[in-house]
Amino acid sequence: MISRENYILWFIDYADNKLSDNEKGVLRAFLVQNGDLQDEFLDFLEASKIKIEADPFILDTASLHKTEMVMPAEQAADIRSLFEYTEGTLGFEETLALESQLAQSPELQKELRLLEAARVRPDNEVFPDKRSLKKSGLRIGFLAGSFKYVSGAAAAAMVFWLGYSLQRSNAPTVVIQSQPGTEWVQKVSSLIEARSEEKALALLEEQWNRLPQDMPVAERIVYVQSAAGPEVRNAVSNASLASLDEKIELPVPELSTQAPSLLVEKPQMQMASVMQNPAAEGTRFSPVKPLENEAPFDLQLANSGRKKPRFIDVLSTIVTLGGVLDKKDTRMVTDKPDKEGKQKVYFYSKAVEAEFAVK
Amino acid sequence: MTAKEYNICVDTHADAVFRFILKNIRDQEAAKDIVQDTFEKMWVRHEDISFEKSKSYLFTAAYRTLIDYTRKRKYVMPEEAAPKQSLYHEQQYSDVKEVVDAALNTLPEAQKAVITLRDLEGYSYEDIGEITGLSESQVKVYIYRGRMAIKEYISKLDIVL
């Protein structure tokens, strides 16, 4: 019996020309009673490349492309029921009727066995390297994913931390010299611009995750830098270790408190802090005091060569300001390009805490 | 989802996702890559995904990656160069599972995916629809047609059941 649960099988059998004249009448009556399914029926026929030359509700067999009768209509009905039976979607009454029929029909029993056998069995294979999928929870996101978690400044902090840790452990001293600002910002920007190579990042994380979790972070950074291939090594170097000859003036505790002006490329560049319900942002964010003015800055996207800046272009600069930024936290408005192809980008965001600590 | 929950997801679902992909493409290395990509996608968004919906997210992401992969593979390996999948062949099978796998491999990609989601994971038509972006009716049609094709394949090989 056709119902709103199994009508699609009737559509299929109609398309395959497996319905008897009597069943076509049943389908016609069903569609008249369930007018909301008529469009679906027509769509189905169209998808099945069946031309309807006559009123579809006449269900004229002659109008169908497919004229080959694959099996008798009665048998098709049985198969339909068997399918529902094996799928567990056959109604109670129909189940009783089918089981009664099955008891008397070896042919039907064979069909049932075939249908039950036509199920896919699971393999025994297991994913060979689950460890490579796991994450430590340590944010090394300045190279990963959506740049969401660790900013360039956090990378700077890592460098600072690395030098500090190595000094404390009597390891070879890493001198962090004093030269803040532009060059480092540009390096980070370049890195982020280049880091569309997700495979390099995945490799970095893979290397990272393979290390013992009790290994000091500083040692892990050094290890990853040396163990990874040149692709990753360059990225890491650009981001952090190669910057060791530059001063990073941000003590770790201060990282989260302000958009650090010392990393700003031009004096007039200031991140605007727009505070909106900071409590709703969760503990990861640490909103700072809003700046007095929402000052636009000129991003000068000359190095990107793009007339229309992408978010990533903006982010690659902004991320160096020490904020953990996300699209949902930011607002970017661009002017039309000037004669030189440069655009002014008005960028507003909350300044938020850069997270880099081990959880 | 926290990092800890994410790692639980790896332990709980990585094998299932791997088997799902492997059934569909029968290429261990490619399946590994797809699983890696899938989990990487989840990790990137793990803070936006609830632990309860992680399995659904994983299979959805895996399915999409699978579709991308098969499309690219078709581009790289045109139909005439691809191995022929014949309904009638002379290969000997040691058990029904092998036959069904062979039959599965003859199905169109969409039918293969919905049938594996149904049979391996026991997803409902509705769940499969959410994962694949198909309507519930389409899912049922694909499963019906796929199941009939597998049944036909088995019966043609004259396997004693």
Side-chain angles (χ1 to χ4, degrees):
Chain A
M1 183 60 68
I2 188 169
S3 69
R4 288 187 72 89
E5 282 70 46
N6 71 0
Y7 67 86
I8 197 73
L9 300 182
W10 286 67
F11 289 1
I12 295 172
D13 280 352
Y14 176 79
D16 292 347
N17 201 18
K18 290 178 182 174
L19 293 185
S20 67
D21 289 342
N22 183 42
E23 286 175 324
K24 287 173 188 169
V26 171
L27 176 59
R28 183 190 309 125
F30 175 78
L31 287 171
V32 169
Q33 285 170 5
N34 297 272
D36 59 312
L37 298 179
Q38 289 178 10
D39 283 345
E40 188 177 342
F41 178 61
L42 293 174
D43 288 345
F44 182 85
L45 295 184
E46 192 178 341
S48 304
K49 298 182 178 174
I50 292 176
K51 277 186 183 173
I52 303 298
E53 294 168 359
D55 178 351
F57 301 112
I58 294 174
L59 303 179
D60 181 5
T61 304
S63 70
L64 299 177
H65 277 318
K66 298 180 181 178
T67 54
E68 182 187 357
M69 184 64 82
V70 178
M71 66 176 73
E74 295 76 16
Q75 193 181 348
D78 289 342
I79 295 294
R80 210 160 51 225
S81 295
L82 284 174
F83 171 76
E84 296 274 14
Y85 184 66
T86 55
E87 289 287 302
T89 52
L90 195 64
F92 179 71
E93 302 268 325
E94 289 85 356
T95 300
L96 290 179
L98 180 66
E99 286 177 346
S100 168
Q101 200 180 343
L102 272 167
Q104 299 166 16
S105 169
E107 275 300 306
L108 213 52
Q109 288 170 18
K110 184 185 175 188
E111 288 296 324
L112 178 60
R113 282 198 299 275
L114 282 169
L115 260 178
E116 286 175 336
R119 288 192 169 274
V120 178
R121 278 85 168 162
D123 297 315
N124 294 323
E125 279 94 344
V126 294
F127 187 75
D129 188 11
K130 287 199 191 75
R131 200 176 162 197
S132 69
L133 300 175
K134 292 192 175 178
K135 306 292 179 185
S136 66
L138 174 68
R139 307 298 191 190
I140 52 173
F142 65 100
L143 289 170
S146 61
F147 313 103
K148 197 172 169 183
Y149 304 115
V150 178
S151 67
M158 273 185 146
V159 174
F160 178 88
W161 186 14
L162 173 61
Y164 178 71
S165 301
L166 293 176
Q167 278 180 317
R168 283 193 61 186
S169 62
N170 294 323
T173 303
V174 178
V175 179
I176 301 180
Q177 296 175 354
S178 177
Q179 189 182 355
T182 304
E183 188 179 347
W184 191 85
V185 171
Q186 287 173 345
K187 280 187 177 179
V188 175
S189 297
S190 302
L191 164 70
I192 293 172
E193 179 67 22
R195 73 147 287 295
S196 54
E197 300 162 18
E198 290 189 1
K199 286 191 174 178
L201 307 175
L203 181 56
L204 172 61
E205 288 213 345
E206 189 180 323
Q207 296 285 345
W208 184 273
N209 290 324
R210 283 179 179 166
L211 297 174
Q213 295 300 301
D214 56 356
M215 186 176 178
V217 172
E219 289 180 29
R220 278 195 266 171
I221 290 174
V222 172
Y223 177 85
V224 168
Q225 193 247 353
S226 60
E231 201 174 29
V232 171
R233 190 157 58 240
N234 290 342
V236 176
S237 298
N238 286 343
S240 57
L241 298 182
S243 305
L244 287 176
D245 60 352
E246 298 173 16
K247 181 181 179 183
I248 308 299
E249 285 193 344
L250 293 173
V252 175
E254 294 179 13
L255 194 62
S256 63
T257 57
Q258 284 290 338
S261 60
L262 76 164
L263 292 177
V264 173
E265 196 166 1
K266 291 185 178 181
Q268 69 270 29
M269 286 188 185
Q270 291 205 330
M271 177 186 289
S273 255
V274 184
M275 296 305 303
Q276 295 172 344
N277 189 19
E281 296 301 323
T283 55
R284 186 167 63 82
F285 298 119
S286 175
V288 299
K289 182 182 176 184
L291 302 180
E292 288 186 0
N293 301 306
E294 289 191 356
F297 65 88
D298 185 352
L299 192 61
Q300 299 284 348
L301 292 167
N303 61 342
S304 77
R306 292 186 178 84
K307 288 186 176 178
K308 185 176 182 182
R310 302 169 306 170
F311 181 80
I312 186 68
D313 299 319
V314 180
L315 188 60
S316 66
T317 297
I318 295 302
V319 75
T320 64
L321 298 178
V324 176
L325 303 178
D326 192 3
K327 279 185 181 178
K328 67 183 179 184
D329 300 319
T330 62
R331 181 158 57 89
M332 184 181 79
V333 181
T334 57
D335 277 350
K336 289 181 179 176
D338 61 19
K339 289 179 181 176
E340 296 175 1
K342 293 180 181 176
Q343 285 177 291
K344 277 198 171 183
V345 179
Y346 300 88
F347 187 88
Y348 304 97
S349 175
K350 287 178 288 189
V352 288
E353 182 181 16
E355 178 179 332
F356 62 94
V358 179
K359 280 190 173 179
Chain B
M1 186 191 328
T2 63
K4 187 179 175 186
E5 288 172 330
Y6 166 87
N7 286 333
I8 291 173
C9 282
V10 172
D11 286 331
T12 313
H13 303 310
D15 291 340
V17 175
F18 182 59
R19 286 172 192 149
F20 164 61
I21 299 297
L22 199 54
K23 275 286 187 199
N24 279 270
I25 59 174
R26 305 178 107 189
D27 179 335
Q28 287 259 358
E29 287 307 309
K32 276 162 63 180
D33 287 346
I34 291 174
V35 173
Q36 288 274 8
D37 284 353
T38 301
F39 275 91
E40 198 54 48
K41 283 175 186 167
M42 186 163 85
W43 173 248
V44 168
R45 294 196 53 208
H46 75 279
E47 291 194 344
D48 302 325
I49 300 166
S50 71
F51 183 55
E52 293 70 29
K53 294 192 174 176
S54 57
K55 184 183 177 188
S56 172
Y57 177 87
L58 276 173
F59 274 92
T60 304
Y63 174 77
R64 287 176 186 165
T65 313
L66 171 70
I67 294 297
D68 287 345
Y69 170 82
T70 50
R71 282 177 186 160
K72 281 177 191 165
R73 187 173 63 171
K74 276 179 188 167
Y75 180 76
V76 173
M77 188 187 290
E79 200 170 320
E80 52 270 26
K84 297 287 182 191
Q85 303 292 345
S86 171
L87 186 65
Y88 307 98
H89 51 86
E90 297 170 354
Q91 188 175 345
Q92 296 297 310
Y93 299 103
S94 58
D95 60 18
V96 176
K97 177 178 171 300
E98 279 185 29
V99 183
V100 172
D101 284 349
L104 184 72
N105 206 36
T106 66
L107 300 183
E109 302 300 335
Q111 286 183 22
K112 209 189 294 186
V114 296
I115 281 196
T116 47
L117 285 169
R118 177 78 173 163
D119 290 354
L120 299 186
E121 294 304 314
Y123 275 121
S124 68
Y125 296 154
E126 186 183 1
D127 291 339
I128 295 171
E130 284 177 12
I131 289 169
T132 58
L134 298 167
S135 72
E136 214 174 313
S137 296
Q138 284 174 309
V139 170
K140 192 166 184 178
V141 169
Y142 284 159
I143 290 177
Y144 181 77
R145 290 208 184 278
R147 193 80 75 207
M148 291 304 130
I150 295 173
K151 180 176 87 71
E152 188 75 3
Y153 190 102
I154 296 172
S155 61
K156 286 283 188 336
L157 286 177
D158 199 24
I159 290 173
V160 179
L161 294 168

